[in-house]
Amino acid sequence: MSFIVKRLLWSIPTILAIVIVGFVLLVYTPGDPVKTVLNLSDQEDPLKPVSPHIEKQKKEWEDKLGLNLPIFYFTIQSSVLPDTLYKITDKKEKETIRSLCLSTGQTNMVMDLRRGIKEFKLTWAGEVKNLTPLEKDSLSKEMAEISHNIQLLTYETNKIKIHEYIENLTILTHSNFFSRSHGIMVGMEKEINLRSRPGLEVFAPTIRFNAKSRFHQWLLGDGKYSKGIIRGDFGISYVSKEPIRNHIYKNLFWSVLFSGLGILLAYLISIPVGILSAGINNTIVEKLITVLLFALYAIPVFFMGTLLQTYLANDQYLHVFEPTGIKPVRGFDPDANLIERWIVQLRYMILPIVCFTYASIAFLSRLTKTSMLETFNHPYMMTAKAKGLPYWKILLKHSFRNALIPLITVFANVFPVLVGGSVIIESIFTIPGMGTEMFSSYFSDNIPMIIGIFTLTGIFTVAGFLISDILYVIVDPRIRK
Amino acid sequence: MIKKPNSLWSVKLDWYSQAAIFCLVLIILTGTCSNWIATSKPLYIKNNQNVYFPAFNNKKSYEFTTEQLGKKTYNVENMDWVKLDQTKKVFAPIPYDPGRSDMAFANYKSPYTSFSEAERPFQFVHWLGTNLKGEDLLSGIIHGTSVSLKIGFFSIFIALLIGIFLGTIAGYYQNDTWKVPLFSFILMLMTIIPGVYLADLFSFFAIERFDWKNTGILIGKIFIYIGTLTFILLFSHLTGKLIHKMFRFNKRVYLPIDTLVSRMIEIFSSIPKLMLIVALAAILDRSVTNVIIIIGISSWAGIARLIRGETLKLRNQDFITSAKALGLTNFKIIRRHLLPNISGPIMVSFVFGVSAAILIESGLSFLNIGVPENVITWGQLLADGKNNFNAWWLIVFPGFAIFITVLCLNILGEKFKSLLDPVNRGIN
């Protein structure tokens, strides 16, 4: 009993570590989450300043995603960086400010530069708005140049180039139409001088402790927008803008169904095969089975899936099964009863289940065989033979029971597959499970979903290890100390 | 020379292991020479008494003299070598580039029909057919070999480096060998966070100074982090020792290396491998180097566990004890006595690891994750076949290439494993 309790206690730091890894991956993802959520383009047109409506939405999402909070319970950063750096949600902007501050050591000047650029954009856009169409036509070349220069200046980190762009802009805006923005640029050219190298003060840290942090919100919730992982809330999906847990519970069913059936079948088939090939060891039939299983194990699952889909679910060759999906696109026949529906659905389910099963069969039956062959050397087998027991009884009662332990250990590895499904198989056969969700999230940059599935499968793997350890103790009393 | 009895090299192999080794050598040769086996550039060209070897160098443009056009500069990117007159040419065995469309053979030409359709020399047959854009499949498979092998070998090399390092120190030192002064221990614990802080700053300045913006930014960062942390820990260890000597405070504690490494192994093996790889791939840029690093850092845990176990078995054996009694340092014992004795399991895990890494890489590129789209891989070629089920050759041949490679590696791994088993060795 104390073994199980100890094991349970040890799994807590492991789960915490997995959660932290997930959080680190979430925080260090490049790109601006708010822009991904609101479908805003990365390149802003300086002529079209962001509308107040979108600004409001941005603020709202920053609150929801906890982006305006510091990352961890304490912050340790260089003293030349501004204190409120974490409040900037745009990762590119944040990176630019950090890089400029560290490479010049002049925080105030960098902040002045950022403010100046922002102000210039607004002023210039206002001045362009006031122009008449005729003036716009005559100034179009200059306007394009200015727009190009300001876009380059926005995220530039090279000091020499920044001065170059500011100079360019000063010259380009030197006309009566852009007098106010010209004034801003002249001011910036005079005041801002980034050409110095920083001193050793860059390495001096400032340490702050934060009552509210993103990690706290992610782990324990903030009582307003998120409940925290501890209560099963993995955040908000960037694509559907719904809580991730709704998606996960929908998808979990199909993943568990397919991989559960696959694993069950694999155990049901491979154990008899393993016992059989251990029983008839060193015969031609056994060697054939071994070679076949060995070859099966080396076939990549996507190759097998595509082959099955091509030759057994295709009008060109044989159309026995359905290639994709889990049920007819047009829905079931309304008159059909439950059993008929099941038969229709079986045509969709057999190929994925075969894909889930074949590699495990090869692996598990080899494992069964080798661990049974190991028991043959023990004296109790000799005793059983000497007693005159029938061969099959020796195999099943004496050998197989002692060969069970490795099979149980392997069961721990089965657990995460059960939950996470298989990214490859599910996306080949378009099963709406966790694997497909992961796959589509990869392409839509839906990072919270990826991290959510990652964390969940990690937690379930720890649970699987725990269960297998407990089973291990039950089967083999020698371990209990 | 005295032959070592029962050594791995003195064993006679079965015919199928020999066949597997032969196939693997062939695959590795194909992979390393892919740029010269399958390329549209001629291997040898003679024009106007000048001799060139275009396939063996990266020259961007050539100057050739022909009767019709006279002297003219040709750009390698878009030139048709076949139409060049008045020259002696020797083409590569497969005279097509991967991913370069051949309009005469576009729209899924199968391996056999393409032979009679266009009037070309015998050598210019698309042996394994083409895809929609008329890209040669065989050339793609040959170039895919090099990518797969590169990713397989280098990623497992990274995993082995981490695994051997952590596995041996955990197995050898355990929790009761490395005694440090209490001050050192406390200082080490205290300086980890400042170490990370400094490493972050150092990596920023290094990237700024050496302009690593595009290439190797991840590798550079990893090295700077490891270097800085090692330096800081060493520094705090030495400082602790100094304090210890100055104040004669005799308290010493054992470093719990084994517990630390075992926890790390458990955490890493608790994270499903494919999920970790997809999550990392979503965060990092798409490049072959990043795929190598991702696969490497997500598959060291199994290797480390195996090596820790093997080291534990050897740790209390007589030859290690006598080496200690001779006064050898721990490092020397690990290098000279421990590592040679666990080279067998290392080799087995290397072979199986490469096969697993090749499977993961081709699975990822089948899903169009990880490896960039302009790099041609087996998985990508196979995924191309899903667009048209009539084009069976696009599915069968790349799949077969993966299957053969993985099968050969698995046969070799099994053979090594059974050779290492003392029961089997005794019979031989």
Side-chain angles (χ1 to χ4, degrees):
Chain A
M1 211 52 212
S2 70
F3 171 81
I4 293 170
V5 171
K6 212 172 151 191
R7 190 69 192 70
L8 260 172
L9 285 177
W10 264 121
S11 66
I12 292 169
T14 314
I15 288 177
L16 196 67
I18 289 169
V19 171
I20 289 175
V21 169
F23 178 72
V24 168
L25 292 179
L26 181 71
V27 168
Y28 285 98
T29 318
D32 185 4
V34 176
K35 277 183 183 164
T36 319
V37 172
L38 296 175
N39 271 332
L40 300 175
S41 70
D42 239 15
Q43 281 286 325
E44 279 173 36
D45 188 0
L47 278 178
K48 282 179 198 147
V50 187
S51 71
H53 174 63
I54 288 180
E55 277 297 340
K56 202 183 147 200
Q57 269 190 324
K58 265 188 174 178
K59 277 272 159 334
E60 201 184 309
W61 275 100
E62 278 166 21
D63 278 348
K64 259 189 191 171
L65 301 173
L67 293 174
N68 48 12
L69 294 173
I71 289 171
F72 200 62
Y73 291 113
F74 62 88
T75 320
I76 168 166
Q77 64 177 20
S78 170
S79 59
V80 296
L81 294 176
D83 276 350
T84 51
L85 191 65
Y86 65 85
K87 281 191 177 159
I88 298 158
T89 52
D90 188 349
K91 285 219 170 102
K92 244 174 161 181
E93 169 101 14
K94 199 190 266 179
E95 234 356 88
T96 316
I97 291 177
R98 184 169 171 271
S99 164
L100 277 174
C101 284
L102 286 178
S103 59
T104 60
Q106 293 159 302
T107 320
N108 292 337
M109 218 169 261
V110 172
M111 293 320 280
D112 280 348
L113 175 76
R114 304 312 298 176
R115 223 170 291 134
I117 290 172
K118 221 177 238 175
E119 209 182 322
F120 178 84
K121 273 184 187 169
L122 277 176
T123 325
W124 187 63
E127 276 174 336
V128 167
K129 226 182 230 171
N130 291 338
L131 293 178
T132 59
L134 205 71
E135 285 166 342
K136 254 187 202 174
D137 249 23
S138 62
L139 286 171
S140 63
K141 206 177 160 191
E142 276 163 3
M143 271 163 57
E145 279 277 297
I146 293 172
S147 168
H148 179 66
N149 266 303
I150 194 75
Q151 267 182 12
L152 286 176
L153 179 60
T154 312
Y155 295 123
E156 185 55 60
T157 52
N158 189 333
K159 297 179 241 174
I160 299 158
K161 274 191 179 163
I162 285 174
H163 283 283
E164 204 176 281
Y165 293 141
I166 290 177
E167 232 165 72
N168 284 351
L169 283 169
T170 323
I171 297 162
L172 282 166
T173 49
H174 189 70
S175 67
N176 289 335
F177 304 105
F178 304 132
S179 56
R180 276 195 295 140
S181 37
H182 181 65
I184 293 170
M185 268 299 144
V186 170
M188 270 166 72
E189 205 180 2
K190 267 183 196 161
E191 280 168 22
I192 288 168
N193 181 16
L194 297 171
R195 288 190 183 143
S196 64
R197 296 285 313 170
L200 277 175
E201 76 269 14
V202 172
F203 292 103
T206 46
I207 303 168
R208 271 179 296 108
F209 292 92
N210 314 305
K212 277 184 177 178
S213 66
R214 272 182 83 180
F215 182 71
H216 188 85
Q217 195 197 24
W218 157 262
L219 187 66
L220 302 166
D222 58 357
K224 200 173 172 191
Y225 297 111
S226 120
K227 283 183 180 169
I229 275 197
I230 205 154
R231 277 173 281 179
D233 186 359
F234 291 95
I236 302 166
S237 161
Y238 287 171
V239 175
S240 65
K241 283 141 191 117
E242 273 177 46
I244 281 168
R245 96 197 112 148
N246 297 359
H247 289 267
I248 284 182
Y249 296 148
K250 251 186 249 164
N251 296 326
L252 199 59
F253 171 73
W254 288 109
S255 280
V256 170
L257 181 72
F258 274 97
S259 29
L261 276 176
I263 288 155
L264 195 73
L265 269 176
Y267 266 97
L268 283 182
I269 295 170
S270 61
I271 288 175
V273 171
I275 294 172
L276 182 78
S277 42
I280 54 168
N281 195 22
N282 279 332
T283 60
I284 294 172
V285 180
E286 187 268 342
K287 274 179 183 162
L288 263 175
I289 292 175
T290 310
V291 168
L292 194 76
L293 290 178
F294 201 78
L296 262 187
Y297 189 60
I299 299 178
V301 69
F302 47 91
F303 183 38
M304 188 65 144
T306 322
L307 275 184
L308 289 177
Q309 218 177 27
T310 313
Y311 291 106
L312 294 180
N314 185 5
D315 281 330
Q316 225 72 37
Y317 304 100
L318 271 174
H319 200 139
V320 187
F321 304 106
E322 300 296 331
T324 53
I326 40 159
K327 56 186 173 196
V329 183
R330 294 194 199 93
F332 293 108
D333 187 6
D335 300 329
N337 59 25
L338 196 66
I339 295 167
E340 279 169 356
R341 284 184 188 201
W342 268 101
I343 289 167
V344 170
Q345 211 158 13
L346 212 61
R347 291 181 64 202
Y348 289 86
M349 288 174 65
I350 283 178
L351 291 187
I353 287 177
V354 168
C355 281
F356 265 112
T357 316
Y358 79 92
S360 321
I361 288 180
F363 176 69
L364 286 173
S365 51
R366 273 177 63 81
L367 192 72
T368 317
K369 188 189 122 196
T370 44
S371 52
M372 275 181 73
L373 286 181
E374 258 168 40
T375 60
F376 282 7
N377 298 329
H378 287 287
Y380 61 80
M381 291 292 285
M382 190 82 86
T383 318
K385 264 182 213 161
K387 277 199 296 188
L389 284 179
Y391 191 52
W392 61 269
K393 219 168 190 175
I394 298 174
L395 273 184
L396 286 180
K397 286 219 161 166
H398 291 82
S399 175
F400 176 62
R401 277 185 132 183
N402 282 296
L404 260 175
I405 294 167
L407 285 177
I408 288 168
T409 328
V410 169
F411 183 75
N413 302 333
V414 159
F415 231 72
V417 181
L418 207 65
V419 178
S422 163
V423 182
I424 293 170
I425 298 172
E426 285 188 6
S427 57
I428 290 176
F429 294 102
T430 50
I431 299 163
M434 303 276 265
T436 316
E437 195 65 60
M438 189 96 177
F439 177 65
S440 60
S441 300
Y442 173 83
F443 286 102
S444 54
D445 281 340
N446 194 355
I447 302 294
M449 182 70 91
I450 292 177
I451 303 299
I453 296 174
F454 169 83
T455 319
L456 194 73
T457 40
I459 292 169
F460 271 92
T461 317
V462 176
F465 280 137
L466 200 70
I467 291 172
S468 89
D469 274 5
I470 292 169
L471 279 178
Y472 211 81
V473 175
I474 292 169
V475 171
D476 191 353
R478 280 171 296 179
I479 298 167
R480 243 179 288 171
K481 274 180 200 165
Chain B
M1 196 185 131
I2 302 161
K3 234 182 183 180
K4 274 190 207 163
N6 288 346
S7 134
L8 206 58
W9 304 110
S10 64
V11 183
K12 230 182 169 190
L13 293 169
D14 311 333
W15 66 269
Y16 52 85
S17 312
Q18 282 176 1
I21 290 174
F22 180 73
C23 278
L24 274 177
V25 169
L26 217 64
I27 289 167
I28 291 169
L29 273 181
T30 317
T32 43
C33 304
S34 62
N35 281 337
W36 309 311
I37 294 174
T39 174
S40 66
K41 294 183 198 167
L43 298 175
Y44 164 87
I45 197 161
K46 194 175 180 188
N47 174 283
N48 201 18
Q49 307 305 321
N50 292 326
V51 175
Y52 305 94
F53 302 95
F56 296 97
N57 57 39
N58 289 326
K59 235 167 123 179
K60 287 279 183 303
S61 61
Y62 287 89
E63 214 169 59
F64 294 124
T65 321
T66 52
E67 220 158 66
Q68 287 107 8
L69 297 165
K71 210 171 188 183
K72 201 185 159 197
T73 315
Y74 293 85
N75 199 354
V76 170
E77 282 288 310
N78 44 20
M79 93 172 273
D80 197 348
W81 294 94
V82 186
K83 282 184 183 157
L84 205 66
D85 289 334
Q86 304 291 320
T87 47
K88 243 183 162 179
K89 290 166 287 192
V90 176
F91 279 99
I94 289 101
Y96 291 105
D97 280 337
R100 193 181 197 179
S101 57
D102 179 5
M103 288 329 283
F105 286 85
N107 203 6
Y108 302 107
K109 290 289 181 291
S110 78
Y112 228 67
T113 50
S114 60
F115 189 66
S116 57
E117 270 186 19
E119 285 178 12
R120 288 191 189 179
F122 179 72
Q123 203 191 350
F124 285 81
V125 174
H126 290 284
W127 293 107
L128 297 186
T130 62
N131 66 357
L132 177 66
K133 287 185 244 159
E135 293 161 5
D136 189 49
L137 182 61
L138 182 54
S139 172
I141 288 178
I142 288 170
H143 280 259
T145 314
S146 82
V147 179
S148 278
L149 288 181
K150 204 164 41 178
I151 292 176
F153 277 101
F154 285 114
S155 59
I156 296 308
F157 186 67
I158 292 173
L160 269 182
L161 278 187
I162 305 173
I164 290 174
F165 177 70
L166 291 179
T168 43
I169 64 164
Y172 184 77
Y173 286 109
Q174 284 288 304
N175 288 339
D176 55 2
T177 310
W178 199 343
K179 224 174 183 186
V180 291
L182 183 66
F183 279 119
S184 290
F185 188 66
I186 293 169
L187 271 178
M188 274 180 183
L189 280 184
M190 278 167 66
T191 45
I192 285 176
I193 289 171
V196 171
Y197 164 76
L198 274 184
D200 195 34
L201 281 181
F202 283 151
S203 66
F204 171 80
F205 285 118
I207 287 163
E208 197 203 14
R209 175 65 61 86
F210 300 116
D211 199 22
W212 279 343
K213 288 254 145 64
N214 297 319
T215 48
I217 194 159
L218 193 64
I219 300 174
K221 261 193 173 174
I222 289 171
F223 270 108
I224 289 168
Y225 263 80
I226 292 172
T228 317
L229 278 176
T230 319
F231 182 77
I232 290 266
L233 287 181
L234 213 66
F235 178 76
S236 49
H237 178 59
L238 292 178
T239 319
K241 248 187 175 172
L242 201 72
I243 295 172
H244 177 80
K245 279 203 175 141
M246 277 164 68
F247 294 99
R248 298 176 185 225
F249 182 66
N250 270 334
K251 184 87 178 153
R252 280 166 172 264
V253 286
Y254 289 114
L255 276 188
I257 296 174
D258 188 41
T259 315
L260 266 176
V261 174
S262 306
R263 286 298 108 194
M264 264 169 83
I265 290 173
E266 198 185 312
I267 289 164
F268 260 84
S269 51
S270 295
I271 298 171
K273 211 168 163 187
L274 207 62
M275 294 285 165
L276 178 65
I277 288 171
V278 173
L280 283 174
I283 283 162
L284 298 172
D285 298 333
R286 293 184 71 153
S287 76
V288 175
T289 326
N290 282 359
V291 171
I292 289 172
I293 294 171
I294 289 170
I295 297 178
I297 60 174
S298 56
S299 46
W300 63 268
I303 296 172
R305 177 184 287 155
L306 181 90
I307 287 170
R308 178 181 165 270
E310 293 292 324
T311 315
L312 261 179
K313 267 188 220 162
L314 295 179
R315 185 179 179 248
N316 292 326
Q317 282 196 8
D318 291 343
F319 69 99
I320 298 279
T321 319
S322 45
K324 269 182 195 165
L326 280 172
L328 292 186
T329 58
N330 284 331
F331 176 72
K332 210 163 193 177
I333 292 172
I334 290 176
R335 198 171 61 85
R336 295 281 292 276
H337 297 276
L338 206 82
L339 280 182
N341 277 301
I342 55 170
S343 62
I346 289 175
M347 208 146 80
V348 171
S349 57
F350 179 74
V351 173
F352 279 124
V354 170
S355 106
I358 287 176
L359 272 182
I360 288 173
E361 177 272 321
S362 43
L364 283 182
S365 35
F366 177 79
L367 297 175
N368 199 4
I369 293 172
V371 181
E373 276 171 52
N374 59 349
V375 178
I376 285 167
T377 58
W378 290 336
Q380 193 193 350
L381 292 170
L382 215 161
D384 199 19
K386 275 210 313 175
N387 299 329
N388 183 357
F389 283 139
N390 293 336
W392 55 268
W393 56 95
L394 289 180
I395 299 167
V396 171
F397 294 124
F400 213 67
I402 305 169
F403 170 65
I404 290 290
T405 313
V406 171
L407 187 70
C408 288
L409 285 168
N410 283 359
I411 288 174
L412 209 63
E414 280 301 323
K415 192 71 212 170
F416 283 164
K417 211 172 163 185
S418 68
L419 283 180
L420 286 170
D421 199 352
V423 178
N424 291 0
R425 245 193 318 190
I427 293 164
N428 285 340

